[in-house]
Amino acid sequence: MTTPRLASQAAIEAAAERLREGRLVAFPTETVYGLGADATNETAVARVFAAKARPRFNPLIIHVADVEAAARLVDMDARARSVAERFWPGPLSLVRPRRADCPVALLAGAGLDTLAIRAPDNNVAQALLRAFAGPIAAPSANRSGEVSPTCAEHVATSLGDDVDMILDGGPCTLGVESTILDLSGEKAIVLRLGGVTEDALAETLGPLAYGQSDDSPPRAPGQLRSHYATRLPLRADATDVRTGEALLSFGHHTITGAEAECNLSPSGDLTEAAANLFAMMHRLDRPEYTGIAAMTVPDRGLGRAINDRLRRAAAPRT
Ligand code: TXA
Ligand code: MG
């Protein structure tokens, strides 16, 4: 089990180095402890999903030091800036469209063209963001289905050896997750209630609408945001290719006749496959093919989340 380390400046610098190496670092925020990875490193982000043992890829919250750092990743329009200036650093995540040159791994945003971003109000988190000097993708630092961790010991108990380093900054002051506010459309939509109250938001934004995030129970049916789907029809569980199809393959196989092929992991490594998934779906999504035939990957560990994503991409479109 990874033992928590008191968050001295030396420990924070060591943690930033771990992040640069693509390793996972748990760190305190004012809401809950986060399981952090270099947000620009697809493999590191895949490790986050593996450590959480989540059967699905949910988009992660991207942590930044301030509004300027956010503006390098997403399009911060006037409304988003004014909300951020009022509530950051603090427990509010803002959903905005990714910039064309956004360096954040596609897997961190689960393939969406938006990202949820926040600047945490915690000295250790801020020191880590400055030492690392880049965006940190972090879900709550617990295994899927367990309660969110509000002290370093919770993280150690929940994640065991699946986290490379735990920065101990004492108990979280808030203990509830950030409020998630979707500012990617005309209406401001609250996707998850959390540390910033509806009243405080309404003061700045006027009347609010409510939607639903992936991890909250449905509040308003039919408002579930659709995830990235390929423009081309995608056929999951493929064991052959049909005329004109491109192939999304995995491991060693004997399927022939594809117009083009991307192999998620020729050696059969599921972390590598998760890291490649969204980029390869994009790469094959070209009008010169009639569709994408996607092989199934082994249904264990990250493979379950990969298969879930492929099957949802293959589901009938409405
Ligand atoms: O307080 C918090 O927000 C904590 C700390 C560590 O910052 N983090 C956290 O992350 O709660 P997580 O992964 O447990 O919750 C992230 C949720 C996703 O499940 C999804 O519902 C929503 O944020 N989300 C992320 N990106 C999104 C996007 N682009 N559009 C809509 N929802 C998004
Ligand atoms: Mg969570």
Side-chain angles (χ1 to χ4, degrees), residues 207-264:
L208 299 166
Y210 293 88
Q212 125 179 49
S213 70
D214 284 351
D215 60 359
S216 62
R219 288 172 61 105
Q223 284 194 300
L224 234 193
R225 292 178 58 98
S226 71
H227 278 266
Y228 173 76
T230 50
R231 263 161 296 202
L232 287 179
L234 185 142
R235 206 155 57 75
D237 305 309
T239 52
D240 60 4
V241 283
R242 300 177 186 161
T243 311
E245 278 183 337
L247 177 65
L248 185 62
S249 59
F250 175 84
H252 177 74
H253 66 87
T254 54
I255 299 175
T256 54
E259 291 292 320
E261 177 176 349
C262 283
N263 195 315
L264 290 170

Side-chain angles (χ1 to χ4, degrees), residues 45-234:
V45 172
R47 291 197 178 112
V48 170
F49 287 105
K52 285 200 58 104
R54 237 178 197 173
R56 271 170 71 166
F57 295 124
N58 277 0
L60 307 180
I61 288 171
I62 310 301
H63 297 71
V64 294
D66 51 30
V67 180
E68 289 325 307
R72 288 194 280 275
L73 309 179
V74 295
D75 166 30
M76 291 292 281
D77 63 357
R79 179 179 55 168
R81 268 181 193 275
S82 74
V83 174
E85 270 151 24
R86 163 105 160 69
F87 292 101
W88 284 2
L92 180 68
S93 298
L94 298 179
V95 176
R96 284 293 298 160
R98 294 170 69 108
R99 284 171 53 135
D101 60 354
C102 177
V104 171
L106 289 174
L107 185 61
L112 293 169
D113 52 14
T114 55
L115 290 175
I117 299 213
R118 82 180 189 98
D121 184 16
N122 174 285
N123 290 340
V124 175
Q126 283 288 336
L128 180 63
L129 284 161
R130 281 170 213 287
F132 179 58
I136 300 177
S140 48
N142 56 284
R143 241 179 266 282
S144 186
E146 294 180 9
V147 294
S148 293
T150 52
C151 66
E153 285 70 36
H154 292 170
V155 180
T157 311
S158 184
L159 293 176
D161 283 330
D162 288 332
V163 53
D164 298 292
M165 187 169 170
I166 303 171
L167 283 176
D168 187 350
C172 300
T173 51
L174 267 173
V176 292
E177 273 109 337
S178 62
T179 299
I180 302 177
L181 182 67
D182 185 348
L183 292 180
S184 65
E186 212 174 291
K187 265 202 229 148
I189 304 173
V190 178
L191 296 179
R192 179 174 79 183
L193 295 170
V196 166
T197 66
E198 295 158 89
D199 289 351
L201 285 177
E203 256 172 47
T204 313
L205 285 158
L208 299 166
Y210 293 88
Q212 125 179 49
S213 70
D214 284 351
D215 60 359
S216 62
R219 288 172 61 105
Q223 284 194 300
L224 234 193
R225 292 178 58 98
S226 71
H227 278 266
Y228 173 76
T230 50
R231 263 161 296 202
L232 287 179
L234 185 142

Side-chain angles (χ1 to χ4, degrees), residues 283-297:
R283 211 176 300 154
L284 293 177
D285 194 15
R286 299 180 61 88
E288 54 263 44
Y289 315 131
T290 56
I292 300 169
M295 289 173 66
T296 304
V297 307

Side-chain angles (χ1 to χ4, degrees), residues 31-48:
T31 61
V32 300
Y33 272 71
L35 178 62
D38 175 354
T40 67
N41 179 334
E42 300 272 357
T43 306
V45 172
R47 291 197 178 112
V48 170

